[in-house]
Amino acid sequence: MDSFGGTWRFLRQKMGFLGMSTINEELAFLVLQFLKEQGYDETAHTLEREIGFYFDMKYLEDMVLRGKWDETERYLSGFTHFSHNTISDACLWIRAQEYFEAIENDDNDKASGILMNNLKVLASHRKGLFESMEQLFKSEKKKEHILYSQYKGTEVGRILMTDHVKKDIEADSLLSGKLKFPINQSNSWKWQHRHCIHPNPIINTLFVDHVFQPQYNLSIAQPAVKKSIATSLVTYPGQSHISVPIPDDIPKTLARTLNEESSPMSMDFHPVLKTVLLVGTCAGSIGLWNVSSGEKFHSINFQVWDIGACSTTFKEALLENPLISVNCIMWSPKGLFFGVAYSKHILPVFSYSGGHEVWLKLETDAHVGNVNDLAFTVHHRQLLVITCRSDNKTKVWDVHDGTNVFTIGDCGAAVYSVCPCTKIAFVYIFSTFVDGKMKGWLYDNNNKFVQAVFDYDTPGLGCTKLAYSTDGQRLFSCGANINGQSFLVEWDESEGTIKRTYRGLTQNSLSVVHFDTSKNQFLAAGDNHIVKFWDMDKVELLGTIVVEGGLPVSFSLVY
């Protein structure tokens, strides 16, 4: 168990998990935080299941999306009995998804086992549903059965089922109060050493409140920072040289260098599998990396998968100049798809369900010329991908069938970037333009975009990129004017005003500075060979990292 068996036995002996008092509950959360900070995730989830104080919804999502059915059911069962309707129904929907996937893969033996060993018990209070599933199994043409026709496939099915289970758990009176972790990251598990001159982060001392004296014969290993930064394929959990002291939450040590054959243009970490990094290069190639092992486990060279379906304009452009690069590469919100915006016309979307395999989901001749940017959003459980380009148009596509759902027509200038709003139930898109304008578009009830509901000027009136905080509540932008002066700001998007302008960016940048957000608390930017950090609530530069050997003047960065 994460090579942590001895400490696990110690915790069980010390804390007496049966019949905990209030103070022991507080200690249990401190231990959980210690385990998570130290990277003992499996042990932490075992502890969560055994004590039943905290339900990790993100962990549940991760297991479901990766098809870890037994682990998912075991985790759920730790919080209440199967007879509890919410848990029973959650396990039922999870096993039903596994059952449909077995039928999809023509694995009758597996489907039979799930039906008789799992669904028969879980669906005891839903006999009609079990009988329908049994009829489906007995059908000679299973995939033509009316029940199977409601199944949306592995990727979409897992997303829909996860959302359904989440809503049930969030609405349950027994479980809803266990979804929030009560300890702030700033408190940490080393609370009992807060007055110590020489704190010693040893798990055994969690149960002792004292002033600690130094023991010079101890070798202390600092906790590894789990969050990573990637900059032009130098990846961090954080050295190099740190010019200003910065908090423990920010990466500081150079962890690994990954070598691509061509210069990286765009990168994105998987939203669930945190060590999987997606990279697009100036040669049009795509790489998937495991940043923990340094392994590049999948690569895709640029190709047009169905040239016959492409426009004559694109074919002529490709013949005239076959060079093509990646402008933007991005995961969908659940990480089951990723899209690629190329420098010529094409938008491919690929499926990914973990492991080392990738499949082409769709390919469309999206725009005439450069596809400048892309972004994913979800509307009424419909996964959409948004693209923009220099023909002044923004287009929205249905990921699952490639339909062009709608197009925002001529906006008066080339569209530089797009950013969907995630705060509200309906689709709302910000677009930025090469003339420095930023507009907000609202998708109305008639499935059409109305005229821009917002029309703002960005600082410097130049090309600008947008990004929301992780929770989707705060909007930031970074742009540069024609003189190279850069502006990193936070917006009040409802008023069109700037809340704060962050200081410390170079004032003669050669291009738009790449930036990213993290933990609803930090901003990071790649500027003038340096990685720079800010606290979202403070305008002054928080810290910088200078990489030995140097980074380019401008480089791609993802946090």
Side-chain angles (χ1 to χ4, degrees), residues 143-197:
K143 295 180 181 178
E144 297 178 10
H145 193 278
I146 188 170
L147 187 61
Y148 185 83
S149 68
Q150 300 173 30
Y151 173 62
K152 303 298 183 183
T154 297
E155 297 92 348
V156 180
R158 290 182 183 181
I159 292 173
L160 296 178
M161 187 267 295
T162 302
D163 289 342
H164 184 82
V165 170
K166 278 179 63 179
K167 289 177 182 177
D168 283 350
I169 291 173
E170 288 167 353
D172 186 270
S173 58
L174 279 176
L175 296 173
S176 59
K178 300 179 180 181
L179 301 178
K180 185 176 180 181
F181 202 89
I183 299 175
N184 292 327
Q185 293 295 323
S186 59
N187 290 341
S188 191
W189 50 272
K190 293 171 278 193
W191 61 276
Q192 80 284 20
H193 292 302
R194 61 190 179 276
H195 299 304
C196 297
I197 298 173

Side-chain angles (χ1 to χ4, degrees), residues 109 113 196 228 274 306 320 356:
D109 289 342
C196 297
S228 295
K274 301 298 186 181
D306 186 2
E320 182 179 343
H356 292 184

Side-chain angles (χ1 to χ4, degrees), residues 149-403:
S149 68
Q150 300 173 30
Y151 173 62
K152 303 298 183 183
T154 297
E155 297 92 348
V156 180
R158 290 182 183 181
I159 292 173
L160 296 178
M161 187 267 295
T162 302
D163 289 342
H164 184 82
V165 170
K166 278 179 63 179
K167 289 177 182 177
D168 283 350
I169 291 173
E170 288 167 353
D172 186 270
S173 58
L174 279 176
L175 296 173
S176 59
K178 300 179 180 181
L179 301 178
K180 185 176 180 181
F181 202 89
I183 299 175
N184 292 327
Q185 293 295 323
S186 59
N187 290 341
S188 191
W189 50 272
K190 293 171 278 193
W191 61 276
Q192 80 284 20
H193 292 302
R194 61 190 179 276
H195 299 304
C196 297
I197 298 173
H198 303 283
N200 179 14
I202 300 298
I203 183 65
N204 299 34
T205 62
L206 274 176
F207 305 94
V208 181
D209 194 2
H210 63 283
V211 176
F212 186 77
Q213 299 300 321
Q215 295 181 12
Y216 295 105
N217 61 337
L218 291 178
S219 175
I220 308 301
Q222 295 300 319
V225 180
K226 299 301 286 184
K227 182 69 179 178
S228 295
I229 259 189
T231 62
S232 294
L233 278 223
V234 177
T235 65
Y236 300 81
Q239 187 170 353
S240 329
H241 166 64
I242 302 172
S243 61
V244 181
I246 51 181
D248 290 340
D249 284 349
I250 289 180
K252 302 177 184 68
T253 306
L254 177 62
R256 194 177 299 280
T257 300
L258 310 176
N259 296 309
E260 277 282 5
E261 294 178 359
S262 305
S263 297
M265 301 298 290
S266 179
M267 301 181 291
D268 197 19
F269 277 109
H270 194 283
V272 177
L273 308 175
K274 301 298 186 181
T275 60
V276 174
L277 178 67
L278 184 63
V279 181
T281 75
C282 65
S285 61
I286 300 165
L288 282 90
W289 293 81
N290 183 323
V291 296
S292 292
S293 65
E295 175 196 8
K296 184 178 183 180
F297 61 83
H298 195 88
S299 61
I300 305 170
N301 292 324
F302 172 75
Q303 70 177 92
V304 181
W305 300 84
D306 186 2
I307 192 67
C310 295
S311 65
T312 302
T313 306
F314 171 61
K315 294 174 186 176
E316 292 173 348
L318 203 59
L319 285 172
E320 182 179 343
N321 182 3
L323 298 179
I324 194 164
S325 67
V326 173
N327 284 337
C328 180
I329 195 163
M330 183 176 290
W331 291 104
S332 64
K334 301 290 186 181
L336 294 177
F337 304 95
F338 65 86
V340 188
Y342 280 112
S343 58
K344 287 187 177 71
H345 294 243
I346 293 294
L347 167 74
V349 175
F350 295 88
S351 296
Y352 176 74
S353 57
H356 292 184
E357 297 301 319
V358 171
W359 301 270
L360 181 71
K361 177 66 177 177
L362 71 90
E363 179 184 63
T364 182
D365 193 343
H367 294 272
V368 178
N370 206 35
V371 185
N372 289 336
D373 198 13
L374 68 86
F376 287 92
T377 190
V378 177
H379 180 55
H380 294 316
R381 295 190 174 185
Q382 181 184 26
L383 182 61
L384 307 172
V385 61
I386 309 160
T387 60
C388 66
R389 66 136 297 182
S390 301
D391 62 0
N392 304 358
K393 293 179 180 179
T394 298
K395 295 184 178 181
V396 182
W397 311 83
D398 186 316
V399 167
H400 299 295
D401 61 16
T403 304

